[in-house]
Amino acid sequence: MNINKSNYKPFLEVLFVAIPFIWLATGFQWDGDGEMRLLIALIPILIWSLLGNRAKNEFKEFLADRWLQLIACLIVLVSISYLTYGHSSRELRGLVAVFLLLILTPRTFFNTNNYSWFILFYAISSCALTYYFTTIEVTNRGAWPVNAVPFATNIGLCIIMTSSVVYKYKLTVEQKFRCITAIIALIIALINSQSRGPILALSFVSVVFVLYIVITNTSALKYKAIIVLSFITVVAVIVQVPSINNRIGATLSEVKSIQDGNFKGSIGIRLSMYKTGYQIFKQAPIIGIGKDGIDRTLDQMLSESLISPSVHRYARMTLHNGYLDYLVRNGVVGLIVFLMVLISPLAIIKNNGNKDIGAVLALCTFLAVCNVSDFPFINAQCVVMYFLLIGFCLLTFVQNKTE
């Protein structure tokens, strides 16, 4: 990796910094409790920080970094929710892990060369996972180490981030090759996941991304970017045509079933959960009833035959709509906090004086669209990747401005 060794004490320190990123790029998607291993992988950096007297510098960085401060506030709020409402501890572990990762990692580590290596290995690992569970050991998508929907959400975030890096920065030939190879592998992994929500969200954001390039860039670069993105997409789609056709056929069949009054399919169950969630939300619209309250209410509704066993089973995990989930769990207050998570990166980068917020806007928009059909933050892997990639954007843009 391209690390300025004058800023470090040689090999062991660099290794300690790299360990958590190696885990994120390789085993993170293969482990349902990947955020717990990430916390373990951060121990060497924490020890190095304490022994190297970096704590004072890290505290100064915390005071100057609005993104770290937001994550710290979320850790406090989620901790309170966990203690009072029975909130999932996984989201809390994910927030703690990404907070420590961002504050303990030296700022010079966040550069495009390191990112190109990281995303290449992450893409290869993700593509291998989808191939393994769809071809070698065929496994139900819900039984993957990370459920296929949050898995695909992570992939979509990485595709957007990597496309932005290719477009925005002057990369070497080797860096471009690594990033473009990663994008192709990530698109194949996304399509192989057969997760309709993230695929539709990425399609929407891709259109907006290309329009953004066309409108804001008058040079020939915009045409090159469009050609490259189109070529990558076409190659990946051609490779996965049978998978796409099967998923489209299943979707059309479900829509027809719903028109006939059958709500037993994936889409039908989602619609039933949305109706159920709205009924529960009306019980405590301001502060919500928490996860424990949702479970008790669903149990009662099942016993009174107000909902089907399928709706009861899936709704106990999530209502499959992030906005509705926050409203039911934490009321209007919780939804406002989540919207702040989506909007604050745009405000932070604008306050730093950088007007080029395309990558950050694309990441936030993608997550916002994904929340319509799922609840990504119920999975710790999504929490880690979203806050890490946004952090990378903010740090890199600020450094470029300084340089």
Side-chain angles (χ1 to χ4, degrees):
M1 294 182 176
N2 182 23
I3 299 176
N4 185 355
K5 293 186 178 180
S6 64
N7 294 335
Y8 302 94
K9 294 169 185 175
F11 178 72
L12 285 179
E13 297 171 347
V14 175
L15 176 62
F16 289 164
V17 171
I19 286 175
F21 290 95
I22 293 173
W23 169 247
L24 283 171
T26 55
F28 190 61
Q29 297 277 60
W30 292 79
D31 187 349
D33 293 320
E35 79 285 353
M36 294 180 64
R37 321 301 175 216
L38 179 59
L39 285 169
I40 296 172
L42 285 166
I43 293 176
I45 305 184
L46 182 59
I47 295 174
W48 171 76
S49 176
L50 295 174
L51 294 179
N53 296 318
R54 287 196 69 247
K56 185 176 180 180
N57 291 333
E58 287 159 359
F59 182 69
K60 291 181 179 178
E61 291 170 355
F62 172 76
L63 294 177
D65 194 327
R66 295 289 181 265
W67 190 236
L68 284 175
Q69 293 171 17
L70 175 65
I71 299 175
C73 290
L74 288 174
I75 290 173
V76 174
L77 292 175
V78 174
S79 298
I80 295 173
S81 181
Y82 172 71
L83 294 173
T84 58
Y85 277 163
H87 197 103
S88 172
S89 62
R90 299 199 61 192
E91 185 176 344
L92 178 59
R93 289 199 302 267
L95 286 170
V96 172
V98 75
F99 176 80
L100 291 175
L101 182 64
L102 288 173
I103 199 169
L104 294 175
T105 303
R107 294 296 184 258
T108 50
F109 191 83
F110 294 96
N111 58 65
T112 51
N113 188 61
N114 287 350
Y115 178 81
S116 69
W117 280 111
F118 165 78
I119 200 61
L120 177 62
F121 286 109
Y122 184 90
I124 293 173
S125 175
S126 300
C127 195
L129 184 146
T130 59
Y131 178 77
Y132 179 81
F133 286 112
T134 59
T135 305
I136 298 177
E137 185 177 336
V138 180
T139 305
N140 182 278
R141 295 165 59 251
W144 289 9
V146 178
N147 182 282
V149 176
F151 170 88
T153 303
N154 278 355
I155 299 299
L157 289 170
C158 290
I159 291 172
I160 291 170
M161 184 69 215
T162 310
S163 300
S164 301
V165 169
V166 171
Y167 169 70
K168 179 175 174 58
Y169 298 107
K170 293 182 179 180
L171 306 177
T172 65
V173 174
E174 293 81 4
Q175 291 169 359
K176 287 181 181 179
F177 175 79
R178 289 194 289 267
C179 286
I180 292 175
T181 302
I183 292 172
I184 294 174
L186 288 168
I187 292 176
I188 293 173
L190 176 64
I191 296 173
N192 243 348
S193 73
Q194 299 185 14
S195 300
R196 289 169 293 201
I199 290 175
L200 291 174
L202 182 63
S203 300
F204 171 78
V205 173
S206 297
V207 172
V208 175
F209 181 77
V210 172
L211 290 176
Y212 171 81
I213 294 174
V214 172
I215 293 172
T216 61
N217 197 318
T218 58
S219 69
L221 180 62
K222 67 181 181 182
Y223 301 107
K224 294 179 181 178
I226 294 171
I227 292 172
V228 170
L229 285 173
S230 300
F231 172 76
I232 292 172
T233 304
V234 168
V235 170
V237 168
I238 290 175
V239 172
Q240 298 295 327
V241 164
S243 176
I244 296 174
N245 288 337
N246 292 338
R247 197 59 174 164
I248 291 175
T251 302
L252 294 176
S253 177
E254 285 189 40
V255 171
K256 187 177 184 305
S257 296
I258 292 173
Q259 291 174 344
D260 295 336
N262 183 356
F263 286 80
K264 294 183 179 180
S266 174
I267 299 175
I269 292 175
R270 268 185 166 82
L271 295 176
S272 298
M273 284 192 290
Y274 298 162
K275 180 180 178 181
T276 302
Y278 176 69
Q279 293 173 346
I280 300 175
F281 161 70
K282 292 188 293 185
Q283 297 180 17
I286 305 301
I287 60 173
I289 63 174
K291 180 64 171 65
D292 293 342
I294 293 175
D295 291 345
R296 288 194 299 268
T297 304
L298 289 172
D299 291 343
Q300 182 179 351
M301 294 177 76
L302 178 64
S303 66
E304 297 175 359
S305 299
L306 297 176
I307 58 175
S308 69
S310 296
V311 171
H312 176 265
R313 174 189 171 191
Y314 291 110
R316 281 179 65 92
M317 294 185 286
T318 167
L319 294 170
H320 290 72
N321 180 294
Y323 305 104
L324 185 58
D325 255 294
Y326 279 113
L327 284 172
V328 176
R329 291 169 186 252
N330 302 103
V332 175
V333 174
L335 180 61
I336 291 174
V337 171
F338 174 69
L339 293 177
M340 287 176 56
V341 172
L342 293 178
I343 297 172
S344 59
L346 305 175
I348 291 172
I349 197 169
K350 184 178 179 181
N351 290 337
N352 286 334
N354 194 313
K355 297 181 180 180
D356 190 357
I357 61 176
V360 175
L361 178 61
L363 290 169
C364 296
T365 303
F366 174 76
L367 188 71
V369 177
C370 284
N371 263 270
V372 174
S373 60
D374 203 69
F375 185 21
F377 277 0
I378 199 173
N379 186 279
Q381 272 85 351
C382 284
V383 174
V384 171
M385 291 306 298
Y386 175 77
F387 284 94
L388 175 61
L389 293 177
I390 292 289
F392 176 86
C393 283
L394 298 177
L395 289 170
T396 305
F397 290 157
V398 171
Q399 287 177 6
N400 281 1
K401 177 191 171 187
T402 303
E403 292 170 2

